[in-house]
Amino acid sequence: MLSCGGITQQFCVPEHIEMSMFTTEFLRHAGEHLRILDNDPPDIHFLPMGYMHLACTPEDAERMRNNWKLQVEKGARIAMLNHDELTAKFPFINFDDVILGTYGLENEGCIDAWQLLSAIREKNITLGVQYVKGEVEDNDPPDIHFLPMGYMHLACTPEDAERMRNNWKLQVEKGARIAMLNHDELTAKFPFINFDDVILGTYGLENEGCIDAWQLLSAIREKNITLGVQYVKGEVEGFLFERNHGMRELHGFEDDEVADEMKESHQRIRGVFVRPQMTDASARPIRTHFVVNAAGPWAGKIAEMAGIGKGKGLLAVKLPVEPRKRMVFMVYAPDVPPIDMPALVDPSGVYCLQEEAGNTFICGKLPTKEEDEKINHTNLEVDYDFFYERVWPILAKRVPAFKNIKIKNAWAGYEDVNTFDNSPIIGEHLLYTNMHIMCGFGNRGVQHALAAGRGFSERIFDGAYTSINMRKFDMRRLLKMEKLQETYG
C-alpha cells in the first residue's frame, strides 16, 4: 500500500465527499476508537493543511463552481477564491494563468497512514481478529486419493440371503448401482475367491472405493479457515448454562426437590468452558447459540459434562457413545490379483480392501460383541494375535492367495461406537434443543459425516432437513428403546 496519507473533501462525487467526512470524524476521535486498555492513544501524526485546487479555463472554472456548491451542501468548509483573492492570500504562488481556486478551511491535511493501519490492526487483535500472513494462490484442488473398488458382501445362510435381497432392493431404489450375484455368478466373476459356503453376494459397480480420510479432513479444515472458521485447540471442561427467565418460581408451591428439578429442566446451554493448549492456561468460556457435540469417541463424556445421563427425566437418558479400539493391518499379498480383487466384507466381519494400486491391502475385523468385550480398550497397542487368530485364517480361507502375506504396518485407533444399536445419533438433544449431536458413526464416520454436516446446516438455515430426513437418528429412539440396526448389506 503506497499512500501519502492525504485527507480532503474536495470531490465531485457525493459519496466520496461523505466518505472523506466520515474519515475526518473518525480521525478526530481516533484516540478513543483505537486506544487499547490504559495505554496511550495512538499518534497518527495528523498535520492540518488545506488542499488547494485551481481552474485555468472557463470550463474548469464552471465545473469547480458546481463541485464547490455540492461540497458545501454536504457540510464541507471549502473557500472559493478568485484570481485577486488567491494572489492576496498566497503572494508567493504564481496565479497568472488561474481564474478560480478552492481552498479547504478545516478537516483537511495529512496523516501517517502506516501508523493508522498499525493502530487499527493492534486494536482488531484485541477484539479477536486473527491475521494470517500468506499469499493467496490459485491452488490445485486437494487430492483425497480416491481408489475406486466395488464392495462385496456375502450371505452364507438362507436368512442372510433373504435379508440381502431386501437390502439390495432398497439400495437399487435409492439409485445405487449394486449387482446381486448367485453362487455360480460369483465363482465365474471371481475365480480366485472361495465361495463354497456362499449362497448370494452383492457387488458395487460404481461410486464405491477408498479415500485418504486424513487428506479429506485436512482439506475441509483448510477450506473452513478461508471461510472464517476459527479453530481453538483445547479441552472442554464444562458447559455454561443460563436460566430461562420466563419460568415461574416453584418453591412456594412445590417441595425443594421438585422445584430444583424444574429449574434444571429450564436451563439453556449458552456456551462451553475450554482450556486452551497453553502452559498454565485456565478454562475460559466461549459463548454460542448452538453447540454441536461431534467429539467422536469422547462424545458421551462431553455429554455427561452437561448433565446428560446423570439427571432425572429427559436428562436421565444417556448418550451411549464410547471409545472402542479398532485395529487395522496393512499386508503385502503378492499372489492376489489386485485389479480384480473387490473390497471384501466377509459374513464373519473380516474385511479387506486395497490400500493403494498394487498388492498392498488393509484388513481387519468388525468384532462381535463377545470379541469386543475381550479387547483392551484402555490403550492403542496393536494385538497381533488378533490378526493371526481372528483375521488371517478367515481371509486365507476365503481368498487362498492371502496365505502368502507379509505384514507391512499396523495401527489402532478409537471409533465412536453407539453401544445401544451401533447407528449414529444425529439431531438436537431432547431437553437442550440448542445442543446438536452428531456422533456414534463407528466405522462409517468418513462416508456419513459429510451428509450429517449438511443436514445440520439445513436445520440451522432452513429449519428442517431438506435433503435427507435424519430424524430417525435422533435421541427419541433412545427414549423409546427402539433400536435402529444396520445389517451391513
Side-chain angles (χ1 to χ4, degrees), residues 329-332 384 387-388 405-410:
F329 303 89
M330 180 186 294
V331 301
Y332 175 69
Y384 287 91
F387 174 79
Y388 288 114
I405 64 168
K406 178 181 179 181
I407 296 180
K408 296 177 61 176
N409 197 3

Side-chain angles (χ1 to χ4, degrees), residues 4 6 11 16 40 53 69 88 152 162 207 214 223 229 231 244 268 340 342 348 381 383 426 428 435 462 467 474 477:
C4 297
F11 297 101
H16 286 165
D40 294 333
H53 293 262
K69 291 178 182 178
M152 176 186 289
E162 182 61 26
N207 295 331
W214 183 252
K223 181 65 176 182
V229 175
Y231 286 82
N244 184 348
R268 183 176 175 86
D340 299 326
S348 63
E381 296 178 1
D383 182 4
I426 305 171
E428 65 269 17
M435 172 184 269
D462 301 323
S467 54
D474 63 26
R477 75 180 194 273

Side-chain angles (χ1 to χ4, degrees), residues 6 18 87 95 113 122 146 194 238 251 288 302 309 323 336 356 359-360 365 372 388 399 408 428 443 465-466 470 475:
E18 293 171 350
T87 302
F95 296 109
E122 293 301 316
F146 176 65
N194 177 15
H251 277 290
T288 179
I302 296 295
V336 177
E356 55 193 32
N359 292 87
T360 300
K365 189 177 191 298
D372 201 29
Y388 288 114
V399 185
K408 296 177 61 176
E428 65 269 17
N443 65 325
Y465 295 117
T466 58
M470 301 182 185
M475 290 189 68

Side-chain angles (χ1 to χ4, degrees), residues 146 148-152 168 171-172 175-181 189-190 202-209:
F146 176 65
M149 68 182 83
Y151 271 66
M152 176 186 289
W168 174 78
Q171 295 156 7
V172 173
R177 289 199 62 210
I178 311 294
M180 186 165 62
L181 307 172
K189 188 172 181 64
F190 303 98
T202 55
Y203 177 66
L205 300 178
E206 67 177 15
N207 295 331
E208 295 191 341

Side-chain angles (χ1 to χ4, degrees), residues 331-374:
V331 301
Y332 175 69
D335 300 333
V336 177
I339 297 178
D340 299 326
M341 180 65 190
L344 177 65
V345 181
D346 192 79
S348 63
V350 171
Y351 63 87
C352 176
L353 60 154
Q354 277 186 292
E355 166 64 13
E356 55 193 32
N359 292 87
T360 300
F361 301 86
I362 58 175
C363 51
K365 189 177 191 298
L366 303 174
T368 63
K369 184 177 180 180
E370 293 74 19
E371 290 173 336
D372 201 29
E373 292 175 351
K374 295 179 181 179

